Amino acid sequence: MTLTLGIDFGTTNTVVALAETAGPAHLVKFPAPEGELFAFRSCLSFHAGDRPNDRVIAAGPWAIDAYVEDPAETRFIQSFKSFAAAESFSETQILGRRFRFEDLLSTFLLRLRAYAEAGMAELPDRVIVGRPVTFAGGAPNEALALSRYQTAFERMGFSEVLYAYEPVGAAFFFARELDHDATVLVGDFGGGTSDFSIIRFERAKDGEIISHPLGRSGVGVAGDAFDYRIIDNLVSPALGKGSSYMSFGKTLPIPNRYYSTFARWDQLALMRASRDMREIRALEREATEPEKIARLIEVLDENYGYQLYRSVSRLKEALSADEAAEFVFQAGSISLRGGVKRATFERWIAPELNLIERAVDDALANADLAPDQVDRVFLTGGSSLVPAVRAIFHRRFEPGRIETGAELESIASGLALIGRERDLSRWTMKAPIS
């Protein structure tokens, strides 16, 4: 019996699935404090223990609980997948120890395996890991990202580590529902990337599904970029962005770079010990609106990044269902509220929507297909529920061809199902030898 493990290591959530030679893939469950779950939050927390050099490390919902209990003394890291391909990220200091990306990922994976208990007690030799079509970042280094992945997954003990594009995994999941030949475009919208693949599925006489890759594309923007637009337009002005300070009798603008960090959730905790933080504390005395700078200092000092993230996520979800919603962020002495219309949010994210739209067209061009030659469109991932994202597809394809679903499970399950393919080399790749 061939057993394949599929791992969808996502910017926001990580999902694991197992597939045997027949039948559906099975999701690995985690007995979390709030009940059994299969979507494991991609985050870590580090807290100093009672003894020197002792560190308490938690992952997933346990990491969140540790952070919420003691945010000021807990180093909380999330969305760290977003710098997998960043050459500028070499390491970070956590409680006196250096962590490279592969150290963070292997720490996360080992904790995830421990929390899964019996679900991952014995691992198969082969694992198929999802990877974006285009990694996040301004100039992503794909080879670097895959070599970092490889180091982390080898530390788990896998003898064969293969990589497949995340939307291809979703396509294999979706293909189970097909009862006829079809050309399928899959759009996978994660936290850091939006990826697209076009695949032709045909049914042989014996019922086997034969698949042919036709085209793909991707762009390094998705849900986290939408979050940043909300913060930049709604939160940062209340924290001093756009205000001024006095210096030698001159009125000068507060530097925008203090607010760019909010684009990277994982970097907020680093601000507390940075040169910028020392400058911000000094600016409070010279600011024309010191109360706003005081809010910024409190957000950074008290490590309110996660609470802010949750408030932004709730607003985004509400705007997917309603034409208007209220933003509410309350932490410590800070209380921010404001109504937001969906149309306003869509104006904020217009640059990202344009990039996503261009990537969809690139996938069609890469496959040498017109929109009417695509039989089915399958959209998955949290941001696929954003109405402006869905509109991109409704402008190109008949609504009856578009389906959305399995936002969390489709990729991991599909990756595991790829393991049944006779010619894995058509669908998977190995990390380059470093």
Side-chain angles (χ1 to χ4, degrees), residues 250-268:
K250 295 182 179 180
T251 302
L252 302 173
I254 299 290
N256 282 340
R257 70 174 185 276
Y258 300 150
Y259 305 92
S260 61
T261 306
F262 286 89
R264 297 282 297 272
W265 300 108
D266 52 277
Q267 295 295 302
L268 281 180

Side-chain angles (χ1 to χ4, degrees), residues 27 134 148 256 380 399:
L27 297 173
T134 300
R148 287 170 164 175
N256 282 340
T380 190

Side-chain angles (χ1 to χ4, degrees), residues 85-252:
E87 294 182 14
S88 60
F89 178 83
S90 58
E91 62 183 32
T92 184
Q93 287 269 355
I94 302 176
L95 300 179
R97 177 186 165 188
R98 294 184 177 90
F99 282 80
R100 299 170 300 168
F101 175 85
E102 48 267 48
D103 300 324
L104 292 172
L105 179 54
S106 61
T107 300
F108 171 75
L109 293 172
L110 290 169
R111 296 305 301 153
L112 175 144
R113 181 181 180 182
Y115 291 127
E117 298 178 349
M120 294 179 70
E122 294 186 15
L123 297 180
D125 291 335
R126 175 192 296 158
V127 60
I128 299 180
V129 181
R131 55 146 297 180
V133 174
T134 300
F135 281 92
N141 185 329
E142 175 180 307
L144 176 63
L146 291 180
S147 68
R148 287 170 164 175
Y149 274 35
Q150 187 73 14
T151 298
F153 281 96
E154 284 179 350
R155 289 176 183 174
M156 289 191 73
F158 293 110
S159 59
E160 184 180 18
V161 184
L162 301 173
Y163 302 90
Y165 292 113
E166 290 160 354
V168 170
F172 271 78
F173 173 84
F174 181 69
R176 303 172 314 149
E177 309 297 327
L178 295 174
D179 56 6
H180 58 280
D181 297 353
T183 298
V184 179
L185 184 152
V186 174
D188 167 39
F189 300 90
T193 62
S194 299
D195 299 310
F196 309 96
S197 283
I198 301 176
I199 298 174
R200 177 69 180 175
F201 291 101
E202 298 174 348
R203 285 197 171 271
K205 291 182 180 179
D206 61 1
E208 180 185 3
I209 297 178
I210 302 172
S211 46
H212 309 278
L214 301 180
R216 64 175 182 267
S217 69
V219 62
V221 297
D224 281 0
F226 294 171
D227 293 348
Y228 176 62
R229 294 296 183 184
I230 293 174
I231 292 175
D232 200 44
N233 286 277
L234 197 61
V235 178
S236 290
L239 305 182
K241 184 176 181 180
S243 64
S244 305
Y245 71 101
M246 301 300 298
S247 178
F248 298 103
K250 295 182 179 180
T251 302
L252 302 173

Side-chain angles (χ1 to χ4, degrees), residues 43 61 247 353 416:
C43 58
S247 178
L353 293 174

Side-chain angles (χ1 to χ4, degrees), residues 262-301:
F262 286 89
R264 297 282 297 272
W265 300 108
D266 52 277
Q267 295 295 302
L268 281 180
L270 298 178
M271 282 284 285
R272 284 186 292 176
S274 69
R275 177 181 176 182
D276 281 345
M277 193 69 206
R278 293 192 293 273
E279 292 179 1
I280 292 169
R281 295 187 198 281
L283 277 178
E284 183 182 7
R285 297 188 296 271
E286 311 296 337
T288 56
E289 297 177 278
E291 70 283 358
K292 292 184 177 181
I293 303 302
R295 290 192 198 113
L296 175 61
I297 292 171
E298 183 177 349
V299 166
L300 298 172
D301 269 348

